[in-house]
Amino acid sequence: MVTSFNVTMLRFANMKAYWFTFAFIAGNLLLPQLCHLTPYGGNVLLPIYFFTLVAAYKFGWQVGLATAIFSPLVNCAIFGMPSVVVLPFILIKSILLAVAAVLVAHNSKRLSVLHLLAVVLLYQVVGSVLESLILWDVWTGIVDFRLGISGMLIQVLGGYLVLKALAKL
């Protein structure tokens, strides 16, 4: 189902942008902690990306990029996850996700499962290629496609439901 969607471009001149950014970063701190209660929960469920998708798709590039950058950094500093070794790749994919979400939302002004699937596939494919090139290891570069398909589906379907609920804002 495709519905028209109002992207609310929040800028940091508006105090709401800070509150929403803080809320999305908090979500990206709490959700991974819950997912890490299960074995390989982070690698399988990819929780660090969920609220970045929502933030960027609904509130634009400033809230989206701030959430994309600060969520992994704060998680690493407080909880040690993601580890410093994989942090650069998480940051790359997180930033790619924010950019893809903003571009799709802004250009389509629509919300659908297919739009979100395009966002998730775009950031994952480009991120995996970059990771493979940087590491010179395709097998490691495609780890999200080997383990994280369920996490990608959660991003698409869960993201759709959350964005549908936020559509009235």
Side-chain angles (χ1 to χ4, degrees):
M1 176 179 215
V2 178
T3 59
S4 61
F5 188 74
N6 181 28
V7 178
T8 307
M9 293 296 252
L10 284 181
R11 308 249 183 248
F12 284 117
N14 183 337
M15 194 61 176
K16 282 185 185 178
Y18 291 97
W19 287 111
F20 277 110
T21 301
F22 176 78
F24 289 126
I25 291 170
N28 275 346
L29 290 173
L30 296 174
L31 186 58
Q33 293 311 304
L34 291 173
C35 292
H36 283 292
L37 295 174
T38 65
Y40 302 103
N43 291 338
V44 172
L45 301 174
L46 307 173
I48 193 80
Y49 303 116
F50 185 80
F51 288 104
T52 301
L53 169 65
V54 173
Y57 206 94
K58 176 61 182 165
F59 295 110
W61 72 270
Q62 288 186 356
V63 174
L65 279 177
T67 304
I69 293 167
F70 288 110
S71 294
L73 292 174
V74 173
N75 261 306
C76 181
I78 295 174
F79 302 111
M81 293 185 284
S83 69
V84 176
V85 174
V86 298
L87 183 61
F89 305 109
I90 301 292
L91 280 166
I92 288 169
K93 285 185 177 179
S94 194
I95 291 167
L96 287 169
L97 169 58
V99 170
V102 168
L103 289 174
V104 169
H106 182 71
N107 289 322
S108 72
K109 296 188 182 8
R110 301 263 189 261
L111 174 65
S112 74
V113 170
L114 288 177
H115 284 97
L116 295 179
L117 181 62
V119 169
V120 169
L121 287 176
L122 181 64
Y123 94 83
Q124 282 291 348
V125 168
V126 174
S128 294
V129 168
L130 290 173
E131 188 172 356
S132 296
L133 290 172
I134 292 167
L135 294 174
W136 288 93
D137 182 4
V138 173
W139 194 246
T140 301
I142 62 168
V143 72
D144 285 355
F145 285 102
R146 293 186 294 128
L147 300 175
I149 297 295
S150 57
M152 289 183 226
L153 290 173
I154 290 169
Q155 289 170 35
V156 171
L157 299 175
Y160 177 80
L161 293 174
V162 171
L163 285 164
K164 189 84 166 154
L166 290 175
K168 293 162 184 57
L169 291 179

